[in-house]
Amino acid sequence: MENRIAVLSREVADQIAAGEVVERPASILKELLENAIDADSTELSVNLEQGGCKSIRVSDNGQGIDAGEVGLAFQRHATSKIQSVDDIFHIITYGFRGEALPSIASVARVEMISRKRNALSGSRVVLDGGKVETIQEIGCPEGTTVSVTHIFDHVPARKKFLKSVSTEQTACMEVLVRIALSRPELRLNVTANGREVLRVPHVKKISDRLALVLGEDVAEHMIRVDAEKGNVRLDGMITRPDYSRANTRGYYFFVNGRFVRDPLISHAVMTGYRRVIPEKRYPILVFFIDLPPEDVDVNVHPAKTEVRFRNPRDIYDCVVEAVVSGLGAGSATEGIWKHAGEITADPSYRQRVEEALKRYTLVTGAKRPVYHSSAGPKPVSSFTGLWDGSGLRDLHEKTEDGSLLPGIRFSDLDYLGQVGAAYLVFSGGDKMVVIDQHAAHERILFEKIRAAAQKRADFRQALLVPEVLSLSPSEYEQFLSAQDILAEAGIDIEPFGDNTVLLKSIPALLTNLSPKQFLQDLVTETLAGGKILSTTALKEKLFIMMACKGAVKANHTLTDDEVKSLCAEMDTTPFNATCPHGRPAYLVYNLSDLQKLFKRT
Ligand code: ADP
Ligand code: MG
């Protein structure tokens, strides 16, 4: 049969779209609660039957909906919260897509009763499977009550995916806990199957709510933390290292009041807790992260627990600092770190952050959203560590292969001279930068080799006269078994009989070396030792070794031109903070560091 192209009926399209918003009862509950809060409610009552699978009812004392608009609320893309695309960059409400109500209505039966504040009467609308059944005027209290029943009755495929009642109930409670934690002004009263399961009074501070919501035991083990970086402010509570869990379910991150899951924040948390919490154990955290709305894009995922930050590094640093200084202040860990600076100044920290940023902010391949910097305070970097200051480029520019570029633009620095024929000294505004020429060059070569091998670029240089090398029988075996990997790295060898091999080409990057010496080193440093390495491990080792052999040595005077080209190369080399062995490739001294060294502070 021939398949013809046809536009989907509205019902089918709605049900498909609904799948993104309405996955399970808890997601319906979440949307209803958020609508109530967006309507400035201060009091919510929630009723759940069978974990929300049978019915969900949310009543609020918010603004209500005008009688003329109750039907409209259920139309797709009908929202009172934004008018133009620009508005989504300044979102302060939870909703803005105008998708929740129509989505819910397309997969369930919905009754909404609402009276606008100060209106004389209210209205009632009933929809089933997306179609309006009734709209009528009725008397009712101010505010809005939405009841959802017959969930997924029209979508058996979805109904099948519902978990047990207790699992769905747990998911619903999780949604309520997030709301309770993030909205101190809200009174919340929840019954499940007619029994009261949660009642939170209005409180001034969230900390007054922790025991109620997370349990007294958790609350007793928590310490307050805060930090500030750039335009980012973090306030929150974290558990001391003597209290941990086997999973990350105790992570409550709220960005501008919105609950988010963010792997970057989680990564930063673990960086902060490194060395103080046992492996595979996780803290419980409540973070309120606030930043100008235009610095965060919440429009990434319909369920909106994913966000994208304009300055992810500020977020990262802020979280690490909050955790580290919080833990440092708590008596349980006193003496581990004096201050966050100790950890953030560690070169391996930089690399960790860069890898995390690369992994969690760029992998989507999506273009960075365009932000409108005209509105709101302009972000100013106030980070006093290694990356701030003038002449530094945007940290999230990418090289061609998508890796992160470093924070410092070396070509913009003023070269002052070489020390000990090994270290290059630069001045850059109010900072002094010292490059270890060997380590830096090693990293440059390493990244080049790695990139070339990845692209399978041919970077071999044939030797005019092949070298002959005799080996021990075991070396010979290893050499031959690594033949393919070596070839990938530009090293062509051929068996020549009698435990000798013929070297026919070497990588073009290494032509300044004696081929024979290089090959001998290769045997002793990479292949020997009898350990059989995995292909990747062997490759890595080989690349590191090649980079090391090819790099300029210490005790080597560089001309100004050589320094210039080294700087230019550094500017396009990812992970240039360290050499491939992990040692720092350069050090940065801020003015404040110098002042400290000169005991001026
Ligand atoms: P969104 O929240 O993205 O605007 P929804 O489909 O969730 O879209 O809701 C559509 C509109 O219905 C909202 O913009 C709001 O005007 C109105 N609305 C929904 N729930 C309530 C409520 N509890 N109180 C007042 N107005 C509401
Ligand atoms: Mg909504």
Side-chain angles (χ1 to χ4, degrees), residues 42-97:
T42 54
E43 205 164 332
L44 300 185
S45 67
V46 177
N47 296 277
L48 302 170
E49 298 281 335
Q50 296 185 10
C53 299
K54 186 155 178 252
S55 81
I56 301 170
R57 192 173 79 226
V58 175
S59 296
D60 68 51
N61 64 346
Q63 285 167 357
I65 303 177
D66 194 88
E69 290 174 5
V70 279
L72 205 57
F74 288 92
Q75 275 178 34
R76 196 158 290 279
H77 309 306
T79 177
S80 56
K81 297 165 197 175
I82 63 169
Q83 265 111 50
S84 74
V85 177
D86 266 7
D87 294 347
I88 66 171
F89 298 104
H90 316 287
I91 284 291
I92 48 162
T93 55
Y94 284 117
F96 58 86
R97 292 166 170 267

Side-chain angles (χ1 to χ4, degrees), residues 241 251 266-283 316 320 323-324 327 333 336-337 342-344 346-353:
Y251 285 13
S266 306
H267 193 279
V269 164
M270 288 327 284
T271 298
Y273 272 93
R274 222 142 63 115
R275 291 180 271 177
V276 295
I277 203 166
E279 236 179 276
K280 303 242 159 62
R281 302 290 303 177
Y282 305 90
Y316 198 100
V320 172
V323 171
V324 172
L327 293 176
T333 58
I336 290 183
W337 291 304
E342 266 175 51
I343 184 172
T344 50
D346 181 356
S348 72
Y349 170 77
R350 282 207 50 176
Q351 194 165 19
R352 200 174 150 81
V353 179

